Structures are given as structure tokens and as C-alpha cells.
Amino acid sequence: MRRILSLFFVLFLILPFGVQAQTWTPEQQEVWDFVVQSWEADTSEDITWVDRMVHPNFRGWDASLPMPRDRDTQRKWSRYGDESGNTLIYSVFPASIVVQGNTAVALYYGSIANEDHEGERETTHFKEVDVLIRENGEWKFLAWMGADEPNQGG
């Protein structure tokens, strides 16, 4: 009986981790690499990232916004954010990536810690859905939708 309980306990500990592990295809990995590069560009205050990585027909809508943003509006708000605070740290983790031809959908979650111009710090946890299209061999954001999680203390 002890042996069975021990085996059950070991399986109980190992099984959830094996189920969560994902293997990405090269196309899925390429999409995820693009998403990570966009986060690196945005948080490094690269003012050209929107022009390089966002499609001219882009629409993005975070749950905290009253309406979707187009590329020009996203560029303005990104620059404003760069001027009014700093990103201290962020983490993003893929949940699901679908690639169909020249279209991809990346669903992921993450956390970001920012400091405003007064030195106040805030950590936000979020979920994100990005829709990308590949043109001339390069991925671009066509749309995204994001939602913050209720703050549960950092």
C-alpha cells in the first residue's frame, strides 16, 4: 500500500508539469520571438518600434481604453509613456500560438512593473491576444486586445 501511495504522490507531482510543457513549431517560435522583440523594443524606449512592427491598418484595444487605437494613435501613446515613466521589469509567457498561412494569433500572459515620473511603482498582471500578419517575410501586428488582471499585490 505504501508503494502505491508513494507512486501516486510522485505522479501527482510530475504529471502537471508534463501536461503544461509545450513544444512549438518553428513557425510558432518565430511568432513568439517577434512578440518578445516587440516587448524589448517598447520597454527600451525605442521610438521606432511602432513604425517597424505595427501594420498601417492596425487596431488595438486594451480593456482600460475607451476605444481601439490605430497605428498613429498607438505611436503617440507609446512615446508619451516613454516620457512619463520607466519600465522596471516585465515577463511574458506564451499560452497558445496559432499560425495559419500568413496569419498568426498569439495568446499570452505576463506582468510588468513600471515607475512613474514621481517615483511611484506599480505592478500589473495581464492577458494579451495579438493578431499578426506576415508581409514580405516579416511579421507585423494587425490587432491586439489586452486586459489587466485584478491587482493581487505584486
Side-chain angles (χ1 to χ4, degrees):
M1 182 67 168
R2 260 188 183 177
R3 183 178 283 172
I4 293 172
L5 286 175
S6 296
L7 180 61
F8 177 75
F9 182 71
V10 169
L11 287 174
F12 178 75
L13 291 175
I14 294 173
L15 187 58
F17 298 108
V19 170
Q20 291 177 359
Q22 292 185 353
T23 302
W24 302 108
T25 67
E27 281 187 318
Q28 289 171 313
Q29 188 61 53
E30 182 181 314
V31 167
W32 183 244
D33 290 346
F34 175 83
V35 170
V36 169
Q37 290 168 12
S38 74
W39 275 90
E40 291 170 0
D42 185 23
T43 59
S44 70
E45 300 181 6
D46 174 356
I47 62 172
T48 67
W49 82 270
V50 172
D51 294 319
R52 289 184 294 106
M53 303 179 100
V54 176
H55 192 274
N57 294 331
F58 166 82
R59 295 298 180 270
W61 199 356
D62 289 337
S64 63
L65 301 176
M67 56 194 284
R69 291 180 175 166
D70 61 15
R71 185 171 83 166
D72 290 339
T73 305
Q74 181 61 40
R75 181 186 311 107
K76 291 175 191 175
W77 280 101
S78 181
R79 288 183 181 158
Y80 171 75
D82 291 346
E83 295 169 2
S84 60
N86 294 312
T87 298
L88 303 173
I89 190 170
Y90 72 91
S91 302
V92 290
F93 304 95
S96 180
I97 300 170
V98 177
V99 180
Q100 182 64 46
N102 288 324
T103 305
V105 178
L107 294 91
Y108 59 99
Y109 58 98
S111 300
I112 188 166
N114 290 306
E115 183 176 70
D116 67 18
H117 66 282
E118 295 176 350
E120 295 292 320
R121 293 180 174 193
E122 180 181 33
T123 300
T124 304
H125 309 287
F126 59 88
K127 295 177 185 173
E128 190 82 20
V129 178
D130 293 345
V131 179
L132 302 118
I133 60 170
R134 184 173 32 212
E135 288 187 341
N136 301 319
E138 294 184 355
W139 289 106
K140 304 253 185 197
F141 291 104
L142 183 60
W144 65 53
M145 177 69 184
D148 293 346
E149 292 291 312
N151 194 343
Q152 299 183 16

